[in-house]
Amino acid sequence: MSEQDAWSAEWPVLVRVPVEPVEAAMEADAADAAARHSALAVRGPLFGVAAQDPDRDGGRRWRVIVEVTHGCPQQARDALNSQLWFQAKDQTTSRQERRALLTAVACLETEDVDELTVLDVRYRVVRAEEYAAIDEHGGIETPRPTDPEPPTPDWSPGASARSPRVDDGLVLDPDAPLSPLQAAERVALRPLAYSGTSFPAPVLADSARAVQSHPDVLLMPAAFLIVERSGDGPWSPGSGLQATAHDARRTLDFALTWMEPRTRGLIPYDADTTVDARRPPTATTDQAAAELRELAEAADRLRAGRCNQIEVHGTVYRIARSRRLLRWGPHGPETPRPSDTSTHAPTALHPRLGEDGTVHFDEPAGGEHAS
């Protein structure tokens, strides 16, 4: 028996039958969704950062400290770079601790680092697979009735700043008990791997290798995004991931009333920021006014209850339910694969910070961090 097979047998999935009313409702919801959506569409990898702290994390648990929403590994590394830099600047008075943090920052500025340990905390860039459930007609799953929603939807400006962030406070615990349907999904997705001629050979090889090196999977909480399509074309993403379906709806409301009018030339980009499709400029043509009115009416339909799909100007917009899984092996969550590429190289992101905590704004970033 291989190390991976032995490890899989050693760590079985713990199943707990839902007994509380809310848990039972969520399980029934999941069963209904599984009956309606019998296939999966895999979008591709997302990246974030998880940490293990011996003083607070026991067993195989990791904590997400950079949300697993980034499109390439380097974006996650950059986010970790910033977290450690600000920790050195604002959260320590010890020269020794600051020196350790700045050494890690210097490493992240020049190398493709996927794992490092700083002050006994282990940091790892992790890779998740994003996918969505689809029905027999190719329709992407929308939010479920039991997905989190605010009691009173807040559409006011600035509300997004008060919304929860994706993966905020999320603990990754492969030993946590699961409901029967969650356990079934987890076991069913263990052999998930890329296939088909549309993928380059290195991507296919890495995917097959990951099933062996990281034979288990951990399912992350659902997130939500806007998807759109025109005519019979494919669905394409229209936003990043949001923590709740309402956050995605509010993003779409803003896109329809503020961004889309400017993109279409219906409102000048240099117009006052309060001008939008609901409050159009006074001087506009009849055609532009009609198009702005149509956009505003679509956005108003979005606000009427928990609306998850609207159509305007020939484009269908849908609030989609995104799902993510992390592959898991004997040593924890999977890191980026050799075939995963980044859009940019490592670089210095902040001014030089001295060991005494002084920020040297007059010196170029990327210099020596010690003072």
Side-chain angles (χ1 to χ4, degrees):
M1 180 182 289
S2 68
E3 178 187 3
Q4 286 78 15
D5 292 338
W7 178 81
S8 294
E10 184 182 355
W11 296 101
V13 177
L14 180 61
V15 181
R16 183 186 65 185
V17 177
V19 292
E20 297 294 332
V22 173
E23 291 179 327
M26 293 177 68
E27 186 75 350
D29 225 4
D32 290 342
R36 292 192 305 269
H37 303 86
S38 57
L40 299 179
V42 177
R43 181 181 174 192
L46 295 172
F47 303 89
V49 178
Q52 265 191 332
D53 185 338
D55 293 333
R56 58 185 294 182
D57 302 315
R60 297 195 297 156
R61 289 190 291 272
W62 293 69
R63 290 173 294 109
V64 174
I65 63 163
V66 172
E67 61 275 16
V68 188
T69 61
H70 296 277
C72 75
Q74 189 56 45
Q75 291 174 339
R77 297 183 196 114
D78 288 347
L80 176 60
N81 180 331
S82 285
Q83 284 204 18
L84 296 178
W85 189 89
F86 280 104
Q87 184 178 341
K89 174 179 174 290
D90 301 326
Q91 299 176 28
T92 182
T93 58
S94 164
R95 277 181 173 265
Q96 183 178 0
E97 291 185 359
R98 189 175 290 115
R99 185 183 302 117
L101 291 163
L102 293 178
T103 298
V105 168
C107 182
L108 287 163
E109 290 175 345
T110 58
E111 301 178 30
D112 295 335
V113 181
D114 289 331
E115 184 160 340
L116 71 167
T117 299
V118 189
L119 301 176
D120 295 327
V121 179
R122 185 182 182 189
Y123 298 93
R124 177 178 291 183
V125 177
V126 297
R127 181 192 197 277
E129 204 73 68
E130 184 184 10
Y131 64 101
I134 57 175
D135 60 26
E136 59 182 347
H137 305 294
I140 299 178
E141 184 182 12
T142 56
R144 299 174 184 174
T146 49
D147 283 329
E149 297 271 8
T152 304
D154 187 353
W155 300 93
S156 63
S160 58
R162 300 186 292 272
S163 297
R165 297 183 63 179
V166 176
D167 299 336
D168 187 26
L170 178 62
V171 175
L172 305 172
D173 184 1
D175 301 316
L178 303 175
S179 73
L181 281 171
Q182 289 173 332
E185 182 177 359
R186 176 171 166 181
V187 172
L189 290 176
R190 280 176 173 171
L192 178 68
Y194 297 157
S195 62
T197 57
S198 60
F199 293 100
V203 173
L204 294 174
D206 281 350
S207 184
R209 192 177 301 114
V211 175
Q212 301 302 317
S213 63
H214 295 76
D216 201 2
V217 298
L218 183 144
L219 306 180
M220 301 183 70
F224 305 88
L225 75 157
I226 305 163
V227 295
E228 58 187 65
R229 72 175 179 184
S230 299
D232 296 328
W235 291 100
S236 60
S239 75
L241 294 184
Q242 307 286 336
T244 71
H246 177 68
D247 291 320
R249 294 188 198 103
R250 186 172 54 236
T251 299
L252 179 54
D253 179 89
F254 174 81
L256 292 174
T257 59
W258 199 94
M259 184 57 69
E260 190 70 10
R262 286 164 171 78
T263 302
R264 288 174 170 268
L266 305 175
I267 294 176
Y269 274 103
D270 59 357
D272 188 279
T273 57
T274 61
V275 174
D276 60 16
R278 291 191 177 95
R279 296 168 290 273
T282 53
T284 186
T285 66
D286 290 344
Q287 181 178 350
E291 292 188 41
L292 289 170
R293 186 162 52 250
E294 188 176 351
L295 289 167
E297 290 171 352
D300 289 342
R301 292 197 300 274
L302 192 68
R303 293 192 178 196
R306 296 180 179 180
C307 177
N308 291 319
Q309 182 168 306
I310 57 172
E311 182 175 358
V312 59
H313 291 162
T315 299
V316 176
Y317 299 90
R318 174 176 289 190
I319 306 302
R321 190 178 197 269
S322 171
R323 294 145 82 173
R324 295 165 294 160
L325 65 84
L326 284 163
R327 298 212 69 91
W328 209 277
H331 306 294
E334 183 185 15
T335 57
R337 300 172 184 173
S339 57
D340 292 325
T341 59
S342 288
T343 57
H344 59 286
T347 188
L349 303 175
H350 302 284
R352 187 175 75 82
L353 179 64
E355 287 183 7
D356 61 353
T358 301
V359 180
H360 297 268
F361 292 104
D362 56 336
E363 298 183 25
E368 293 295 327
H369 283 281
S371 62

PDB file of all heavy atoms in Angstrom, residues 76-106:
ATOM      1  N   ALA A  76      -1.317  35.800  -4.581  1.00  0.00           N
ATOM      2  CA  ALA A  76      -1.406  35.344  -3.192  1.00  0.00           C
ATOM      3  C   ALA A  76      -0.106  35.635  -2.450  1.00  0.00           C
ATOM      4  O   ALA A  76      -0.117  36.058  -1.289  1.00  0.00           O
ATOM      5  CB  ALA A  76      -1.726  33.850  -3.148  1.00  0.00           C
ATOM      6  N   ARG A  77       1.049  35.409  -3.121  1.00  0.00           N
ATOM      7  CA  ARG A  77       2.332  35.720  -2.493  1.00  0.00           C
ATOM      8  C   ARG A  77       2.439  37.210  -2.174  1.00  0.00           C
ATOM      9  O   ARG A  77       2.953  37.609  -1.124  1.00  0.00           O
ATOM     10  CB  ARG A  77       3.484  35.294  -3.399  1.00  0.00           C
ATOM     11  CG  ARG A  77       3.552  33.797  -3.676  1.00  0.00           C
ATOM     12  CD  ARG A  77       4.773  33.452  -4.532  1.00  0.00           C
ATOM     13  NE  ARG A  77       4.647  32.115  -5.105  1.00  0.00           N
ATOM     14  CZ  ARG A  77       4.513  31.849  -6.397  1.00  0.00           C
ATOM     15  NH1 ARG A  77       4.524  32.844  -7.283  1.00  0.00           N
ATOM     16  NH2 ARG A  77       4.392  30.610  -6.828  1.00  0.00           N
ATOM     17  N   ASP A  78       1.981  38.050  -3.104  1.00  0.00           N
ATOM     18  CA  ASP A  78       2.015  39.500  -2.875  1.00  0.00           C
ATOM     19  C   ASP A  78       1.167  39.878  -1.657  1.00  0.00           C
ATOM     20  O   ASP A  78       1.555  40.757  -0.865  1.00  0.00           O
ATOM     21  CB  ASP A  78       1.508  40.239  -4.104  1.00  0.00           C
ATOM     22  CG  ASP A  78       2.480  40.191  -5.277  1.00  0.00           C
ATOM     23  OD1 ASP A  78       3.647  39.804  -5.073  1.00  0.00           O
ATOM     24  OD2 ASP A  78       2.056  40.529  -6.399  1.00  0.00           O
ATOM     25  N   ALA A  79       0.004  39.250  -1.519  1.00  0.00           N
ATOM     26  CA  ALA A  79      -0.863  39.545  -0.376  1.00  0.00           C
ATOM     27  C   ALA A  79      -0.183  39.138   0.930  1.00  0.00           C
ATOM     28  O   ALA A  79      -0.276  39.849   1.941  1.00  0.00           O
ATOM     29  CB  ALA A  79      -2.199  38.829  -0.532  1.00  0.00           C
ATOM     30  N   LEU A  80       0.503  37.992   0.924  1.00  0.00           N
ATOM     31  CA  LEU A  80       1.255  37.581   2.116  1.00  0.00           C
ATOM     32  C   LEU A  80       2.399  38.551   2.387  1.00  0.00           C
ATOM     33  O   LEU A  80       2.659  38.914   3.547  1.00  0.00           O
ATOM     34  CB  LEU A  80       1.786  36.166   1.916  1.00  0.00           C
ATOM     35  CG  LEU A  80       2.672  35.617   3.045  1.00  0.00           C
ATOM     36  CD1 LEU A  80       1.912  35.590   4.368  1.00  0.00           C
ATOM     37  CD2 LEU A  80       3.191  34.225   2.698  1.00  0.00           C
ATOM     38  N   ASN A  81       3.081  38.973   1.345  1.00  0.00           N
ATOM     39  CA  ASN A  81       4.142  39.972   1.465  1.00  0.00           C
ATOM     40  C   ASN A  81       3.619  41.194   2.227  1.00  0.00           C
ATOM     41  O   ASN A  81       4.238  41.650   3.207  1.00  0.00           O
ATOM     42  CB  ASN A  81       4.614  40.357   0.053  1.00  0.00           C
ATOM     43  CG  ASN A  81       5.720  41.403   0.041  1.00  0.00           C
ATOM     44  OD1 ASN A  81       5.833  42.230   0.925  1.00  0.00           O
ATOM     45  ND2 ASN A  81       6.521  41.379  -1.015  1.00  0.00           N
ATOM     46  N   SER A  82       2.485  41.712   1.813  1.00  0.00           N
ATOM     47  CA  SER A  82       1.926  42.906   2.460  1.00  0.00           C
ATOM     48  C   SER A  82       1.530  42.629   3.904  1.00  0.00           C
ATOM     49  O   SER A  82       1.751  43.464   4.794  1.00  0.00           O
ATOM     50  CB  SER A  82       0.714  43.407   1.673  1.00  0.00           C
ATOM     51  OG  SER A  82       1.112  44.048   0.485  1.00  0.00           O
ATOM     52  N   GLN A  83       0.937  41.468   4.162  1.00  0.00           N
ATOM     53  CA  GLN A  83       0.540  41.152   5.535  1.00  0.00           C
ATOM     54  C   GLN A  83       1.744  41.125   6.461  1.00  0.00           C
ATOM     55  O   GLN A  83       1.710  41.671   7.576  1.00  0.00           O
ATOM     56  CB  GLN A  83      -0.195  39.813   5.574  1.00  0.00           C
ATOM     57  CG  GLN A  83      -1.615  39.876   5.063  1.00  0.00           C
ATOM     58  CD  GLN A  83      -2.482  38.760   5.620  1.00  0.00           C
ATOM     59  OE1 GLN A  83      -2.154  38.135   6.626  1.00  0.00           O
ATOM     60  NE2 GLN A  83      -3.607  38.502   4.972  1.00  0.00           N
ATOM     61  N   LEU A  84       2.825  40.485   6.029  1.00  0.00           N
ATOM     62  CA  LEU A  84       4.008  40.392   6.882  1.00  0.00           C
ATOM     63  C   LEU A  84       4.671  41.758   7.049  1.00  0.00           C
ATOM     64  O   LEU A  84       5.177  42.089   8.132  1.00  0.00           O
ATOM     65  CB  LEU A  84       4.990  39.385   6.297  1.00  0.00           C
ATOM     66  CG  LEU A  84       4.500  37.932   6.235  1.00  0.00           C
ATOM     67  CD1 LEU A  84       5.564  37.040   5.591  1.00  0.00           C
ATOM     68  CD2 LEU A  84       4.111  37.408   7.607  1.00  0.00           C
ATOM     69  N   TRP A  85       4.684  42.580   5.978  1.00  0.00           N
ATOM     70  CA  TRP A  85       5.280  43.921   6.067  1.00  0.00           C
ATOM     71  C   TRP A  85       4.516  44.769   7.084  1.00  0.00           C
ATOM     72  O   TRP A  85       5.108  45.427   7.936  1.00  0.00           O
ATOM     73  CB  TRP A  85       5.272  44.584   4.692  1.00  0.00           C
ATOM     74  CG  TRP A  85       6.063  45.871   4.624  1.00  0.00           C
ATOM     75  CD1 TRP A  85       7.383  46.010   4.326  1.00  0.00           C
ATOM     76  CD2 TRP A  85       5.564  47.197   4.861  1.00  0.00           C
ATOM     77  NE1 TRP A  85       7.750  47.337   4.353  1.00  0.00           N
ATOM     78  CE2 TRP A  85       6.651  48.083   4.681  1.00  0.00           C
ATOM     79  CE3 TRP A  85       4.321  47.713   5.206  1.00  0.00           C
ATOM     80  CZ2 TRP A  85       6.522  49.464   4.846  1.00  0.00           C
ATOM     81  CZ3 TRP A  85       4.187  49.086   5.376  1.00  0.00           C
ATOM     82  CH2 TRP A  85       5.283  49.951   5.183  1.00  0.00           C
ATOM     83  N   PHE A  86       3.178  44.763   7.015  1.00  0.00           N
ATOM     84  CA  PHE A  86       2.391  45.559   7.959  1.00  0.00           C
ATOM     85  C   PHE A  86       2.449  44.982   9.369  1.00  0.00           C
ATOM     86  O   PHE A  86       2.362  45.722  10.349  1.00  0.00           O
ATOM     87  CB  PHE A  86       0.948  45.674   7.479  1.00  0.00           C
ATOM     88  CG  PHE A  86       0.766  46.717   6.402  1.00  0.00           C
ATOM     89  CD1 PHE A  86       0.596  46.351   5.085  1.00  0.00           C
ATOM     90  CD2 PHE A  86       0.795  48.070   6.717  1.00  0.00           C
ATOM     91  CE1 PHE A  86       0.448  47.300   4.089  1.00  0.00           C
ATOM     92  CE2 PHE A  86       0.645  49.034   5.728  1.00  0.00           C
ATOM     93  CZ  PHE A  86       0.474  48.649   4.408  1.00  0.00           C
ATOM     94  N   GLN A  87       2.606  43.672   9.487  1.00  0.00           N
ATOM     95  CA  GLN A  87       2.799  43.085  10.808  1.00  0.00           C
ATOM     96  C   GLN A  87       4.101  43.591  11.425  1.00  0.00           C
ATOM     97  O   GLN A  87       4.153  43.930  12.615  1.00  0.00           O
ATOM     98  CB  GLN A  87       2.819  41.556  10.715  1.00  0.00           C
ATOM     99  CG  GLN A  87       2.930  40.858  12.070  1.00  0.00           C
ATOM    100  CD  GLN A  87       2.907  39.344  11.951  1.00  0.00           C
ATOM    101  OE1 GLN A  87       2.470  38.798  10.932  1.00  0.00           O
ATOM    102  NE2 GLN A  87       3.381  38.652  12.966  1.00  0.00           N
ATOM    103  N   ALA A  88       5.141  43.658  10.594  1.00  0.00           N
ATOM    104  CA  ALA A  88       6.421  44.188  11.082  1.00  0.00           C
ATOM    105  C   ALA A  88       6.308  45.665  11.443  1.00  0.00           C
ATOM    106  O   ALA A  88       6.903  46.134  12.420  1.00  0.00           O
ATOM    107  CB  ALA A  88       7.499  43.981  10.024  1.00  0.00           C
ATOM    108  N   LYS A  89       5.543  46.402  10.690  1.00  0.00           N
ATOM    109  CA  LYS A  89       5.416  47.850  10.908  1.00  0.00           C
ATOM    110  C   LYS A  89       4.527  48.185  12.108  1.00  0.00           C
ATOM    111  O   LYS A  89       4.869  49.065  12.912  1.00  0.00           O
ATOM    112  CB  LYS A  89       4.852  48.495   9.646  1.00  0.00           C
ATOM    113  CG  LYS A  89       4.530  49.986   9.754  1.00  0.00           C
ATOM    114  CD  LYS A  89       4.011  50.519   8.448  1.00  0.00           C
ATOM    115  CE  LYS A  89       3.555  51.964   8.555  1.00  0.00           C
ATOM    116  NZ  LYS A  89       2.319  52.095   9.365  1.00  0.00           N
ATOM    117  N   ASP A  90       3.416  47.481  12.248  1.00  0.00           N
ATOM    118  CA  ASP A  90       2.379  47.922  13.192  1.00  0.00           C
ATOM    119  C   ASP A  90       2.139  47.001  14.381  1.00  0.00           C
ATOM    120  O   ASP A  90       1.510  47.419  15.350  1.00  0.00           O
ATOM    121  CB  ASP A  90       1.037  48.094  12.452  1.00  0.00           C
ATOM    122  CG  ASP A  90       1.119  49.100  11.320  1.00  0.00           C
ATOM    123  OD1 ASP A  90       1.875  50.080  11.464  1.00  0.00           O
ATOM    124  OD2 ASP A  90       0.440  48.902  10.293  1.00  0.00           O
ATOM    125  N   GLN A  91       2.610  45.751  14.324  1.00  0.00           N
ATOM    126  CA  GLN A  91       2.182  44.789  15.333  1.00  0.00           C
ATOM    127  C   GLN A  91       3.321  44.210  16.167  1.00  0.00           C
ATOM    128  O   GLN A  91       3.125  43.235  16.872  1.00  0.00           O
ATOM    129  CB  GLN A  91       1.408  43.642  14.650  1.00  0.00           C
ATOM    130  CG  GLN A  91       0.153  44.114  13.933  1.00  0.00           C
ATOM    131  CD  GLN A  91      -0.538  42.985  13.180  1.00  0.00           C
ATOM    132  OE1 GLN A  91      -0.442  41.817  13.547  1.00  0.00           O
ATOM    133  NE2 GLN A  91      -1.261  43.324  12.130  1.00  0.00           N
ATOM    134  N   THR A  92       4.492  44.780  16.085  1.00  0.00           N
ATOM    135  CA  THR A  92       5.583  44.298  16.924  1.00  0.00           C
ATOM    136  C   THR A  92       6.491  45.464  17.309  1.00  0.00           C
ATOM    137  O   THR A  92       6.650  46.423  16.557  1.00  0.00           O
ATOM    138  CB  THR A  92       6.416  43.212  16.217  1.00  0.00           C
ATOM    139  OG1 THR A  92       7.430  42.743  17.097  1.00  0.00           O
ATOM    140  CG2 THR A  92       7.065  43.754  14.948  1.00  0.00           C
ATOM    141  N   THR A  93       7.054  45.373  18.514  1.00  0.00           N
ATOM    142  CA  THR A  93       8.029  46.364  18.968  1.00  0.00           C
ATOM    143  C   THR A  93       9.401  45.729  19.146  1.00  0.00           C
ATOM    144  O   THR A  93      10.352  46.409  19.518  1.00  0.00           O
ATOM    145  CB  THR A  93       7.583  46.973  20.316  1.00  0.00           C
ATOM    146  OG1 THR A  93       7.425  45.919  21.283  1.00  0.00           O
ATOM    147  CG2 THR A  93       6.271  47.721  20.161  1.00  0.00           C
ATOM    148  N   SER A  94       9.487  44.434  18.861  1.00  0.00           N
ATOM    149  CA  SER A  94      10.735  43.708  19.032  1.00  0.00           C
ATOM    150  C   SER A  94      11.567  43.760  17.755  1.00  0.00           C
ATOM    151  O   SER A  94      11.078  43.428  16.671  1.00  0.00           O
ATOM    152  CB  SER A  94      10.443  42.244  19.400  1.00  0.00           C
ATOM    153  OG  SER A  94      11.579  41.431  19.214  1.00  0.00           O
ATOM    154  N   ARG A  95      12.825  44.184  17.889  1.00  0.00           N
ATOM    155  CA  ARG A  95      13.717  44.198  16.730  1.00  0.00           C
ATOM    156  C   ARG A  95      13.906  42.787  16.178  1.00  0.00           C
ATOM    157  O   ARG A  95      13.965  42.594  14.965  1.00  0.00           O
ATOM    158  CB  ARG A  95      15.072  44.778  17.118  1.00  0.00           C
ATOM    159  CG  ARG A  95      15.139  46.307  17.118  1.00  0.00           C
ATOM    160  CD  ARG A  95      16.525  46.774  17.490  1.00  0.00           C
ATOM    161  NE  ARG A  95      16.660  48.223  17.347  1.00  0.00           N
ATOM    162  CZ  ARG A  95      17.144  48.830  16.275  1.00  0.00           C
ATOM    163  NH1 ARG A  95      17.548  48.103  15.258  1.00  0.00           N
ATOM    164  NH2 ARG A  95      17.238  50.138  16.221  1.00  0.00           N
ATOM    165  N   GLN A  96      14.020  41.798  17.065  1.00  0.00           N
ATOM    166  CA  GLN A  96      14.248  40.426  16.627  1.00  0.00           C
ATOM    167  C   GLN A  96      13.070  39.917  15.819  1.00  0.00           C
ATOM    168  O   GLN A  96      13.250  39.308  14.745  1.00  0.00           O
ATOM    169  CB  GLN A  96      14.477  39.529  17.840  1.00  0.00           C
ATOM    170  CG  GLN A  96      14.791  38.078  17.489  1.00  0.00           C
ATOM    171  CD  GLN A  96      15.069  37.236  18.719  1.00  0.00           C
ATOM    172  OE1 GLN A  96      15.034  37.724  19.846  1.00  0.00           O
ATOM    173  NE2 GLN A  96      15.356  35.965  18.501  1.00  0.00           N
ATOM    174  N   GLU A  97      11.849  40.168  16.288  1.00  0.00           N
ATOM    175  CA  GLU A  97      10.666  39.735  15.542  1.00  0.00           C
ATOM    176  C   GLU A  97      10.553  40.489  14.227  1.00  0.00           C
ATOM    177  O   GLU A  97      10.232  39.903  13.189  1.00  0.00           O
ATOM    178  CB  GLU A  97       9.410  39.933  16.390  1.00  0.00           C
ATOM    179  CG  GLU A  97       9.312  38.989  17.582  1.00  0.00           C
ATOM    180  CD  GLU A  97       8.005  39.138  18.318  1.00  0.00           C
ATOM    181  OE1 GLU A  97       7.178  39.997  17.912  1.00  0.00           O
ATOM    182  OE2 GLU A  97       7.781  38.398  19.300  1.00  0.00           O
ATOM    183  N   ARG A  98      10.816  41.800  14.276  1.00  0.00           N
ATOM    184  CA  ARG A  98      10.715  42.587  13.049  1.00  0.00           C
ATOM    185  C   ARG A  98      11.752  42.123  12.027  1.00  0.00           C
ATOM    186  O   ARG A  98      11.465  42.044  10.829  1.00  0.00           O
ATOM    187  CB  ARG A  98      10.889  44.075  13.356  1.00  0.00           C
ATOM    188  CG  ARG A  98      10.588  44.971  12.163  1.00  0.00           C
ATOM    189  CD  ARG A  98      10.643  46.443  12.537  1.00  0.00           C
ATOM    190  NE  ARG A  98       9.535  46.829  13.384  1.00  0.00           N
ATOM    191  CZ  ARG A  98       9.664  47.240  14.649  1.00  0.00           C
ATOM    192  NH1 ARG A  98      10.872  47.292  15.202  1.00  0.00           N
ATOM    193  NH2 ARG A  98       8.621  47.582  15.350  1.00  0.00           N
ATOM    194  N   ARG A  99      12.943  41.768  12.499  1.00  0.00           N
ATOM    195  CA  ARG A  99      13.975  41.291  11.590  1.00  0.00           C
ATOM    196  C   ARG A  99      13.528  39.985  10.912  1.00  0.00           C
ATOM    197  O   ARG A  99      13.726  39.810   9.701  1.00  0.00           O
ATOM    198  CB  ARG A  99      15.285  41.054  12.348  1.00  0.00           C
ATOM    199  CG  ARG A  99      16.457  40.654  11.443  1.00  0.00           C
ATOM    200  CD  ARG A  99      17.717  40.354  12.252  1.00  0.00           C
ATOM    201  NE  ARG A  99      18.101  41.507  13.063  1.00  0.00           N
ATOM    202  CZ  ARG A  99      18.135  41.494  14.391  1.00  0.00           C
ATOM    203  NH1 ARG A  99      17.800  40.390  15.057  1.00  0.00           N
ATOM    204  NH2 ARG A  99      18.502  42.557  15.057  1.00  0.00           N
ATOM    205  N   ALA A 100      12.916  39.081  11.666  1.00  0.00           N
ATOM    206  CA  ALA A 100      12.446  37.819  11.089  1.00  0.00           C
ATOM    207  C   ALA A 100      11.366  38.057  10.045  1.00  0.00           C
ATOM    208  O   ALA A 100      11.352  37.445   8.964  1.00  0.00           O
ATOM    209  CB  ALA A 100      11.926  36.907  12.197  1.00  0.00           C
ATOM    210  N   LEU A 101      10.453  38.982  10.348  1.00  0.00           N
ATOM    211  CA  LEU A 101       9.380  39.288   9.400  1.00  0.00           C
ATOM    212  C   LEU A 101       9.928  39.923   8.133  1.00  0.00           C
ATOM    213  O   LEU A 101       9.513  39.585   7.018  1.00  0.00           O
ATOM    214  CB  LEU A 101       8.354  40.211  10.063  1.00  0.00           C
ATOM    215  CG  LEU A 101       7.510  39.580  11.174  1.00  0.00           C
ATOM    216  CD1 LEU A 101       6.841  40.660  12.013  1.00  0.00           C
ATOM    217  CD2 LEU A 101       6.456  38.651  10.587  1.00  0.00           C
ATOM    218  N   LEU A 102      10.871  40.842   8.287  1.00  0.00           N
ATOM    219  CA  LEU A 102      11.421  41.531   7.120  1.00  0.00           C
ATOM    220  C   LEU A 102      12.302  40.620   6.283  1.00  0.00           C
ATOM    221  O   LEU A 102      12.417  40.796   5.072  1.00  0.00           O
ATOM    222  CB  LEU A 102      12.196  42.765   7.564  1.00  0.00           C
ATOM    223  CG  LEU A 102      11.342  43.874   8.183  1.00  0.00           C
ATOM    224  CD1 LEU A 102      12.217  45.035   8.646  1.00  0.00           C
ATOM    225  CD2 LEU A 102      10.278  44.364   7.211  1.00  0.00           C
ATOM    226  N   THR A 103      12.917  39.628   6.907  1.00  0.00           N
ATOM    227  CA  THR A 103      13.662  38.624   6.130  1.00  0.00           C
ATOM    228  C   THR A 103      12.716  37.847   5.231  1.00  0.00           C
ATOM    229  O   THR A 103      13.035  37.567   4.065  1.00  0.00           O
ATOM    230  CB  THR A 103      14.411  37.671   7.077  1.00  0.00           C
ATOM    231  OG1 THR A 103      15.363  38.413   7.847  1.00  0.00           O
ATOM    232  CG2 THR A 103      15.132  36.583   6.296  1.00  0.00           C
ATOM    233  N   ALA A 104      11.542  37.512   5.765  1.00  0.00           N
ATOM    234  CA  ALA A 104      10.541  36.813   4.950  1.00  0.00           C
ATOM    235  C   ALA A 104      10.033  37.716   3.838  1.00  0.00           C
ATOM    236  O   ALA A 104       9.832  37.269   2.699  1.00  0.00           O
ATOM    237  CB  ALA A 104       9.384  36.352   5.834  1.00  0.00           C
ATOM    238  N   VAL A 105       9.808  38.989   4.130  1.00  0.00           N
ATOM    239  CA  VAL A 105       9.365  39.934   3.100  1.00  0.00           C
ATOM    240  C   VAL A 105      10.395  40.020   1.987  1.00  0.00           C
ATOM    241  O   VAL A 105      10.057  39.998   0.791  1.00  0.00           O
ATOM    242  CB  VAL A 105       9.112  41.316   3.721  1.00  0.00           C
ATOM    243  CG1 VAL A 105       8.934  42.381   2.634  1.00  0.00           C
ATOM    244  CG2 VAL A 105       7.880  41.283   4.627  1.00  0.00           C
ATOM    245  N   ALA A 106      11.670  40.112   2.353  1.00  0.00           N
ATOM    246  CA  ALA A 106      12.728  40.201   1.342  1.00  0.00           C
ATOM    247  C   ALA A 106      12.746  38.966   0.459  1.00  0.00           C
ATOM    248  O   ALA A 106      12.979  39.056  -0.750  1.00  0.00           O
ATOM    249  CB  ALA A 106      14.075  40.379   2.035  1.00  0.00           C
TER     250      ALA A 106
END
